[in-house]
């Protein structure tokens, strides 16, 4: 029977309507993102990807000693496993990559579109594999199955060791406000019990829940490992392919409350000749450089290690301070919802202790002022969001301190034997002591004098801060003491009355940022 054009058009219209009806029913059931139309004014929904695992090689040395070609060859031999080599630029000297292995360039180039690595991964899962690992048939699948079988919604990654040394499982807490990452030794008793119960239930049902038995961790200790996670989770992170990969993903995961499951299985590590001392030094230096760049990128200034020791990043004598000029009494980090970097507080404490000791030794009458006294009374320390230390002193005692006397006589900065720099402030008639020539964290020294006739303490320079008010000399006769930055510091004899005169009633019990009109403490607590 011959079909007329009119009949063909009618059949096509009926078919199209049936497809639209099917998609609408699937959408009501929450299925098939492929049927989902793009929202107006927003991006189109991204499909989950096809089943399978894409391998990304990212952690390798930018030198001829890497093993990228052999590692790529090993994993590309697995059926249906795409392999990508991710690097800022193509490995050089050129390496003979196996057919089908793609180099994923991560560095923006002026003559090319911006890198979009997430578009190169079409599978639902992705595995980040370190240099030198060798594939094991079925292990990537078991890692994927373990991730999908876990009942713990916070477990977003699965790890397997590379080589004979199993990574140690650590806890990890990242405090963004305090710029701090805290590591600890994980206690796995509850995790093992949970896994054992899961194994027993899995045996009764005949499924493969036993594949997920392992340790739940916040981070690993740095031993090489393969990490597997859902592609959508990896590329939801702000720095998905930053090296070193395990450290980078662990820190970003901890911010989101994610954990990883460390399986007992392992990938082989290719035997390689021992590196020369120079190559070993070069690799270690490169790793440290990448770690420093990563922590700078993530805004981590302090790592507290499992043994309690501390690793600082920033605020050395030879580095600039972590923030720029402060405007409106509000440092830039407050606007970002963060408090003073801990390395800056550490340098401020050291500067304050040094200055207080020098003034005490010289017989200069001095006392904590303003927000520094407020922090001492509240905490015995610097207020967590403060950016300097304020100390008042008697103007007539300035010549007693040789460093202040030298500055007053010459008008030029003076560096003392400990590397602290004493100078006259450019803003007015007061002095500053900087942590170093490069690092301008400082203590401000305010010369006060008794106004003739009424015993009221005043000074020459007023910056319009809330605490900038005159006060009766009786607060200083005699001076008292208060605990501050680990020492006993001189202070007014009635700190509460002194602070309430300066800041208003309830100042001690009601903390607030220096300029609430710009940002209030309630926004960050």
């Amino acid at each position: 029977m011959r079909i007329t054009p009119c009949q063909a058009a009618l059949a096509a219209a009926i078919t199209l309507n049936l497809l639209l009806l099917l998609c609408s029913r699937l959408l009501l059931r929450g299925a098939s993102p492929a049927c989902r139309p793009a929202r107006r004014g927003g991006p189109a929904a991204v499909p989950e990807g096809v089943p399978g695992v894409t391998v990304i090689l990212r952690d390798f040395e930018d030198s001829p000693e890497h093993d990228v070609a052999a590692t790529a060859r090993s994993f590309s031999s697995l059926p249906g496993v795409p392999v990508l080599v991710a690097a800022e630029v193509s490995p050089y000297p050129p390496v003979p990559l196996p057919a089908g292995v793609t180099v994923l360039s991560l560095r923006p180039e002026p003559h090319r579109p911006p890198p979009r690595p997430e578009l190169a991964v079409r599978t639902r899962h992705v595995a980040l594999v370190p240099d030198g690992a060798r594939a094991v048939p079925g292990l990537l699948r078991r890692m994927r199955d373990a991730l999908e079988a876990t009942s713990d919604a916070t477990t977003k990654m699965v790890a397997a060791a590379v080589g004979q040394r199993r990574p140690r499982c650590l806890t990890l807490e990242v405090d963004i406000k305090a710029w701090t990452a805290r590591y600890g030794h994980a206690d796995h008793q509850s995790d093992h019990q949970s896994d054992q119960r899961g194994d027993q239930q899995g045996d009764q049902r005949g499924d493969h829940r036993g594949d997920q038995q392992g340790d739940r961790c916040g981070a690993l200790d740095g031993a090489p490992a393969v990490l597997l996670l859902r592609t959508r989770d990896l590329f939801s992170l702000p720095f998905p392919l930053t090296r070193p990969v395990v450290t980078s993903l662990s820190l970003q995961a901890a911010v989101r409350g994610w954990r990883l499951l460390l399986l007992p299985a392992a990938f082989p590590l290719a035997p390689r000749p021992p590196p020369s001392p120079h190559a070993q030094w070069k690799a270690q230096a490169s790793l440290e450089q990448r770690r420093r760049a990563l922590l700078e990128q993530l805004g981590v200034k302090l790592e507290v290690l499992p043994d309690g020791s501390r690793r600082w990043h920033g605020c050395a004598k030879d580095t600039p301070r972590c923030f720029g000029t402060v405007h409106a009494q509000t440092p830039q980090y407050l606007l970002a919802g963060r408090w003073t970097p801990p390395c800056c507080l550490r340098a401020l404490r050291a500067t304050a202790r040094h200055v207080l000791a020098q003034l005490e030794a010289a017989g200069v009458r001095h006392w904590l002022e303003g927000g520094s006294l407020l922090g001492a009374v509240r905490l015995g320390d610097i207020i967590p969001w403060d950016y300097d230390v304020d100390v008042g002193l008697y103007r007539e005692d300035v010549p007693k301190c040789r460093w202040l006397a030298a500055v007053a006589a010459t008008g030029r900065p003076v560096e003392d034997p400990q590397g602290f720099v004493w100078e006259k402030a450019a803003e007015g008639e007061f002095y500053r002591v900087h942590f170093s020539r490069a690092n301008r964290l400082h203590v401000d020294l305010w010369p006060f004098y008794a106004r003739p006739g009424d015993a009221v303490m005043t000074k020459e320079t007023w910056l319009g801060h809330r605490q900038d008010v005159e006060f009766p000399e009786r607060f200083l006769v005699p001076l008292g003491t208060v605990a501050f930055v680990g020492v006993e510091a001189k202070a007014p004899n009635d700190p509460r009355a002194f602070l309430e005169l300066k800041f208003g009633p309830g100042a001690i019990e009601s903390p607030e940022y220096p300029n609430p009109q710009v940002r209030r403490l309630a926004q960050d607590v």
Side-chain angles (χ1 to χ4, degrees):
M1 179 176 114
R2 196 171 181 184
I3 299 176
T4 67
C6 183
Q7 290 172 325
L10 180 61
I14 293 173
T15 303
L16 179 61
N17 282 326
L18 289 174
L19 286 173
L20 290 173
L21 179 62
L22 175 62
C23 274
S24 65
R25 291 193 174 184
L26 288 174
L27 281 173
L28 290 175
R29 296 176 186 174
S32 187
C35 287
R36 213 167 286 162
R39 296 181 182 177
R40 288 187 179 180
V46 179
E48 285 280 342
V50 299
V53 179
T54 296
V55 164
I56 297 181
L57 307 184
R58 176 67 176 125
D59 259 334
F60 56 88
E61 290 299 321
D62 303 322
S63 69
E65 288 78 22
H66 62 65
D67 189 53
V68 170
T71 305
R73 190 176 304 110
S74 176
F75 281 88
S76 65
S77 67
L78 297 174
V81 175
V83 176
L84 303 173
V85 176
E88 276 68 30
V89 294
S90 297
Y92 189 83
V95 294
L97 294 175
V101 174
T102 305
V103 175
L104 189 60
S105 179
L106 302 178
R107 178 181 294 174
E109 298 282 354
H111 57 292
R112 293 176 180 166
R116 295 288 302 277
E118 67 275 15
L119 300 182
V121 180
R122 303 183 183 277
T123 55
R124 293 178 189 169
H125 296 83
V126 60
L128 292 128
V129 174
D131 194 28
R134 291 295 181 263
V136 174
L139 184 49
L140 288 177
R141 177 188 57 78
R142 298 208 311 271
M143 294 174 71
R144 179 200 63 194
D145 293 346
L147 178 62
E148 296 303 330
T150 181
S151 58
D152 179 10
T154 65
T155 300
K156 298 286 190 177
M157 297 185 286
V158 173
V162 174
Q164 296 182 352
R165 187 169 88 79
R166 178 177 168 83
R168 285 186 304 161
C169 193
L170 305 173
T171 61
L172 174 57
E173 175 192 353
V174 178
D175 187 341
I176 291 293
K177 189 183 276 83
W179 310 70
T180 299
R182 295 183 180 87
Y183 295 88
H185 296 293
D187 177 10
H188 307 301
Q189 183 176 2
S190 59
D191 289 335
H192 282 307
Q193 290 174 350
S194 173
D195 288 331
Q196 289 168 1
R197 288 194 297 270
D199 292 342
Q200 293 169 0
Q201 295 170 2
D203 291 341
Q204 293 170 3
R205 293 194 303 267
D207 61 16
H208 299 286
R209 287 288 299 269
D211 281 345
Q212 70 169 320
Q213 184 176 358
D215 298 328
R216 287 182 173 81
C217 318
L220 304 178
D221 68 350
V226 171
L227 287 185
L228 181 140
L229 63 165
R230 297 178 185 91
T231 302
R232 67 169 184 264
D233 289 337
L234 173 66
F235 291 109
S236 72
L237 300 174
F239 310 107
L241 296 176
T242 301
R243 297 184 294 175
V245 167
V246 175
T247 304
S248 172
L249 293 187
S250 296
L251 286 166
Q252 295 178 77
V255 173
R256 291 155 177 77
W258 298 358
R259 296 196 299 172
L260 63 87
L261 177 68
L262 176 60
L263 298 183
F267 291 86
L269 180 64
R272 300 166 76 175
S276 66
H278 176 72
Q280 193 171 5
W281 169 84
K282 187 175 178 181
Q284 186 61 34
S286 176
L287 176 61
E288 287 302 316
Q289 183 181 10
R290 289 198 294 269
R291 276 185 55 84
R292 285 195 300 270
L294 167 68
L295 296 173
E296 177 69 24
Q297 200 171 34
L298 299 181
V300 174
K301 301 294 185 183
L302 171 61
E303 292 180 286
V304 182
L305 304 182
D307 62 0
S309 62
R310 299 187 167 207
R311 196 154 52 196
W312 297 91
H313 306 280
C315 286
K317 286 276 190 181
D318 59 348
T319 62
R321 73 181 186 182
C322 305
F323 56 94
T325 302
V326 176
H327 299 280
Q329 304 177 62
T330 306
Q332 192 278 334
Y333 54 77
L334 276 187
L335 298 180
R338 292 186 166 203
W339 288 352
T340 310
C343 54
C344 296
L345 290 174
R346 181 192 189 207
L348 273 177
R349 292 185 190 106
T351 309
R353 285 192 294 266
H354 179 73
V355 170
L356 294 175
Q358 292 292 313
L359 297 178
E360 183 70 19
V364 175
R365 291 169 293 173
H366 64 280
W367 61 94
L368 292 179
E369 264 287 342
S372 300
L373 179 61
L374 200 54
V377 173
R378 279 187 195 148
L379 309 165
D381 201 355
I382 299 169
I383 292 174
W385 51 82
D386 211 350
Y387 49 87
D388 62 9
V389 172
D390 292 308
V391 176
L393 50 83
Y394 274 84
R395 186 174 66 178
E396 57 264 37
D397 288 356
V398 166
K400 294 181 180 180
C401 175
R402 59 173 173 163
W403 311 115
L404 291 177
V407 171
T410 66
R412 295 194 297 269
V414 175
E415 184 174 356
D416 66 26
Q418 286 73 38
F420 297 92
V421 177
W422 303 65
E423 69 177 19
K424 187 177 181 297
E427 297 93 325
E429 297 302 314
F430 63 101
Y431 300 92
R432 279 198 172 125
V433 185
H434 298 275
F435 183 53
S436 70
R437 288 189 179 275
N439 194 324
R440 308 298 277 179
L441 287 161
H442 58 260
V443 173
D444 283 336
L445 300 175
W446 299 94
F448 282 83
Y449 59 94
R451 196 168 60 203
D454 56 7
V456 169
M457 299 299 290
T458 188
K459 58 189 174 85
E460 296 293 340
T461 297
W462 305 90
L463 299 182
H465 297 172
R466 187 179 177 188
Q467 66 269 26
D468 260 2
V469 296
E470 297 175 332
F471 59 91
E473 190 179 12
R474 61 179 170 79
F475 282 111
L476 309 178
V477 184
L479 284 166
T481 60
V482 65
F484 184 64
V485 298
V487 299
E488 285 295 314
K490 293 293 176 59
N493 51 44
D494 189 347
R496 175 175 288 276
F498 185 85
L499 288 169
E500 293 195 344
L501 171 67
K502 296 232 172 190
F503 293 99
I508 297 173
E509 293 80 15
S510 305
E512 183 52 271
Y513 287 155
N515 191 345
Q517 294 181 341
V518 174
R519 190 172 185 89
R520 301 189 64 87
L521 177 61
Q523 295 175 255
D524 299 323
V525 173

